[in-house]
């Protein structure tokens, strides 16, 4: 009590309006309401962490003991719950002789301040008065740098030092190249992707058509105006989507590796898990690219793409094709899962049995769900950014799954 009163006095002497129950004789509304009102009105609440306080906050203390602290803990926990876990208000403070093990569990993810450590009080004071120790410099212009660790070019062969991933057929990459690419990325060496012949043929044919597309459309009876503009726009969308996925796929590979090697879960299995995820990722990128390129403009170009899927199909129908399932070494039908992972939501397709197992058994089966289906589809969605993710399987939450016809089915939410 003496130390807390001293802290309060020092803060008030240095301009911080610090409230404390010892400064109140008897609030007319009663202590419970005063406590709640004071907590809600404060910009910050300093939680002085001791072992008895932790036990009372977490409901471990004996009945009839520390009712005030138990009431405080309930108010704080409710407020954090209503804020959906976000907390900038409640600050753990360690008095002399205390340690981080005495911080209540629901505050362990928050920055704490140790008054017994050198500069502990100053760091706390800076936080309360918004005086950061290090000032953030203004944001400058991005400096353009040439790529070093990744490379891809359809028109030019990759440089001699790049490890090239080739394709066995129109959909599946070469396993031996996947193995070599894993070693290259782990050592920081460049990696290139040589797409399947069908992928390259379609891309080159559509790219050559682009500069003179208006005349070609006019020759086939497409009228100027909305019809012409719509045809050109749909062509551009298809080609731009395919180009984006092709050009940036290699850039995702080292980011995927960085994310998978960060958590301890993979450990010695990191390379084998990465190879599975990389192969599945390339299968999906190639399938989506071909689907975009297969959006034909002229009748004479119309063709069904290999493996039985047709141009312009949605991702849901694309995943139902047996050839896609075979390339991913699994069996249809696929289920869709709304998965919350690493602070983001992902709509993921995975085999029915795999999704159910991951849902029911949680972390025990999260590894296969993670490496074969969640990681590749996350990387596909992250092609437009350089964001990396630490793939920690204990963080997976499957919110919903869908049946074979993709009719939504609700299940109780689980968190592994």
């Amino acid at each position: 009590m003496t130390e807390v009163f001293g802290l309060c006095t020092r803060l008030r002497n240095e301009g911080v309006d610090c409230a404390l129950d010892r400064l109140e004789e008897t609030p007319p509304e009663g202590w419970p309401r005063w406590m709640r009102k004071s907590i809600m009105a404060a910009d910050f609440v300093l939680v002085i962490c001791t072992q008895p306080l932790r036990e009372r906050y977490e409901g471990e203390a004996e009945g009839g003991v520390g009712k005030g602290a138990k009431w405080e803990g309930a108010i704080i926990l409710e407020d954090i719950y209503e804020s959906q876990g976000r907390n900038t208000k409640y600050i753990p403070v360690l008095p002399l002789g205390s340690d981080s093990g005495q911080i209540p569990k629901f505050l362990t993810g928050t920055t704490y301040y140790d008054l017994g450590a050198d500069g502990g009080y100053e760091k706390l004071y800076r936080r309360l008065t918004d005086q950061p120790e290090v000032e953030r410099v203004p944001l400058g212009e991005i400096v353009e740098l040439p790529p070093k660790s990744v490379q891809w070019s359809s028109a030019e062969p990759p440089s001699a030092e790049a490890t090239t991933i080739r394709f066995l057929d129109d959909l599946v990459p070469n396993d031996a190249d996947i193995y070599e690419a894993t070693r290259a990325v782990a050592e920081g060496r460049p990696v290139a992707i040589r797409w399947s012949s069908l992928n390259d043929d379609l891309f080159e044919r559509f790219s050559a058509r682009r500069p003179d597309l208006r005349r070609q459309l006019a020759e086939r009876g497409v009228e100027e105006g909305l019809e012409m503009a719509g045809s050109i726009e749909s062509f551009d969308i298809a080609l731009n989507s395919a180009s984006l996925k092709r050009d940036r796929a290699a850039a995702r590979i080292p980011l995927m590796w960085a994310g998978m090697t960060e958590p301890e879960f993979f450990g010695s299995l990191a390379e084998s898990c990465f190879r599975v995820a990389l192969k599945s990722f390339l299968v999906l990128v190639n399938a989506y690219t071909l689907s975009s390129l297969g959006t034909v403009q002229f009748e004479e170009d119309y063709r069904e793409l290999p493996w039985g899927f047709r141009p312009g199909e949605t991702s849901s129908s694309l995943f139902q094709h047996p050839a896609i399932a075979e390339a991913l070494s699994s069996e249809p039908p696929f289920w869709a899962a709304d998965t919350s992972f690493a602070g983001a939501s992902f709509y993921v397709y995975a085999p029915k049995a795999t999704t159910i197992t991951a849902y029911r058994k949680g972390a025990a089966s999260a590894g296969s769900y993670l490496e074969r289906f969640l990681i590749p589809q996350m990387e596909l969605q992250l092609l437009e950014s350089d964001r990396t993710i630490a793939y920690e399987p204990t963080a997976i939450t499957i919110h919903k799954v869908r049946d074979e016809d993709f009719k939504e089915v609700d299940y109780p939410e689980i968190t592994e």
Side-chain angles (χ1 to χ4, degrees):
M1 290 177 66
T2 301
E3 186 176 354
V4 173
F5 185 69
L7 174 63
C8 174
T9 301
R10 182 175 181 181
L11 288 172
R12 292 189 65 83
N13 286 335
E14 295 181 359
V16 178
D17 185 8
C18 183
L20 188 66
D21 55 1
R22 289 186 66 187
L23 302 177
E24 296 287 334
E25 185 63 33
T26 174
E29 66 269 46
W31 284 111
R33 288 185 178 177
W34 176 89
M35 194 181 302
R36 185 177 191 79
K37 182 182 70 174
S38 299
I39 289 176
M40 293 297 101
D43 295 316
F44 301 102
V45 175
L46 306 186
V47 180
I48 312 299
C49 300
T50 62
Q51 186 65 21
L53 179 124
R54 186 192 67 79
E55 292 174 354
R56 292 166 185 174
Y57 270 31
E58 295 178 3
E60 298 175 359
E62 297 179 3
V65 176
K67 289 187 288 186
K70 292 176 182 178
W71 180 243
E72 291 172 9
I75 296 172
I76 294 173
L77 183 58
E78 179 188 13
D79 191 28
I80 294 177
Y81 176 81
E82 291 294 334
S83 301
Q84 301 182 45
R86 295 179 58 84
N87 173 33
T88 58
K89 179 173 185 174
Y90 301 101
I91 303 175
V93 176
L94 303 182
L96 292 173
S98 186
D99 58 59
S100 59
Q102 296 172 2
I103 299 175
K105 290 181 181 178
F106 57 83
L107 293 176
T108 52
T110 303
T111 301
Y112 65 87
Y113 298 86
D114 186 352
L115 298 182
D118 291 340
Y121 173 81
E122 179 183 323
K123 292 178 180 178
L124 173 63
Y125 185 77
R126 285 182 177 276
R127 168 78 178 278
L128 299 177
T129 57
D130 194 21
Q131 299 184 79
E133 188 175 2
V134 179
E135 186 176 0
R136 182 174 299 184
V137 299
L139 187 65
E141 297 292 330
I142 293 177
V143 178
E144 294 290 339
L145 298 174
K148 292 184 178 180
S149 60
V150 295
Q151 174 188 35
W152 177 81
S153 171
S154 179
E156 301 176 2
S159 59
E161 67 271 15
T163 299
T164 303
I165 304 176
R166 295 160 294 187
F167 278 71
L168 287 173
D169 56 30
D170 290 332
L171 188 63
V172 182
N174 189 317
D175 281 328
D177 290 347
I178 295 290
Y179 180 83
E180 291 300 324
T182 300
R183 296 178 59 184
V185 173
E187 296 170 5
R189 293 187 280 115
V191 172
I193 299 174
R194 175 58 63 196
W195 295 106
S196 67
S197 58
L198 176 62
N199 187 312
D200 270 350
D201 289 346
L202 283 172
F203 191 82
E204 289 169 9
R205 181 155 56 88
F206 277 72
S207 297
R209 171 171 295 164
R210 191 174 206 164
D212 202 22
L213 180 61
R214 181 177 294 276
R215 180 188 61 78
Q216 297 171 59
L217 288 168
E219 288 179 353
R220 286 163 174 78
V222 178
E223 296 184 1
E224 286 285 350
L226 291 177
E227 185 179 3
M228 178 73 75
S231 297
I232 293 175
E233 182 182 13
S234 61
F235 180 92
D236 285 340
I237 290 173
L239 192 59
N240 290 340
S241 174
S243 178
L244 179 69
K245 287 181 172 59
R246 282 162 53 103
D247 289 348
R248 297 190 179 180
R252 290 300 320 169
I253 297 174
L255 298 177
M256 187 194 310
W257 171 259
M260 292 182 68
T261 53
E262 182 175 332
E264 296 180 0
F265 168 80
F266 292 101
S268 60
L269 299 175
E271 286 199 14
S272 60
C273 291
F274 175 75
R275 289 198 298 271
V276 173
L278 176 58
K279 180 178 179 180
S280 300
F281 170 60
L282 292 177
V283 167
L284 293 175
V285 172
N286 202 28
Y288 275 79
T289 301
L290 290 171
S291 181
S292 296
L293 290 172
T295 306
V296 295
Q297 301 299 305
F298 307 143
E299 287 186 6
E300 60 265 33
D301 290 325
Y302 180 79
R303 57 170 292 176
E304 288 190 4
L305 297 171
W307 331 292
F309 74 85
R310 301 164 68 90
E313 285 187 305
T314 63
S315 58
S316 59
S317 59
L318 194 65
F319 267 86
Q320 297 303 306
H321 288 286
I324 303 294
E326 182 180 350
L328 297 175
S329 303
S330 183
E331 292 294 332
F334 282 92
W335 268 21
D338 296 317
T339 302
S340 175
F341 183 82
S345 296
F346 296 91
Y347 190 63
V348 177
Y349 295 99
K352 181 176 180 178
T354 305
T355 306
I356 293 175
T357 303
Y359 171 80
R360 289 178 178 170
K361 296 186 177 180
S365 62
S368 61
Y369 184 75
L370 192 74
E371 69 185 19
R372 191 176 298 275
F373 300 102
L374 180 55
I375 291 176
Q377 291 175 67
M378 287 170 60
E379 292 293 339
L380 197 64
Q381 295 182 48
L382 292 169
L383 274 175
E384 298 184 23
S385 74
D386 292 330
R387 179 183 174 195
T388 57
I389 289 182
Y391 301 104
E392 178 54 64
T394 56
I396 297 174
T397 303
I398 301 175
H399 296 287
K400 298 175 183 175
V401 293
R402 298 168 187 262
D403 64 16
E404 297 91 324
D405 298 322
F406 295 94
K407 296 175 182 176
E408 187 170 304
V409 179
D410 286 321
Y411 285 84
E413 181 176 316
I414 63 164
T415 303
E416 291 76 23

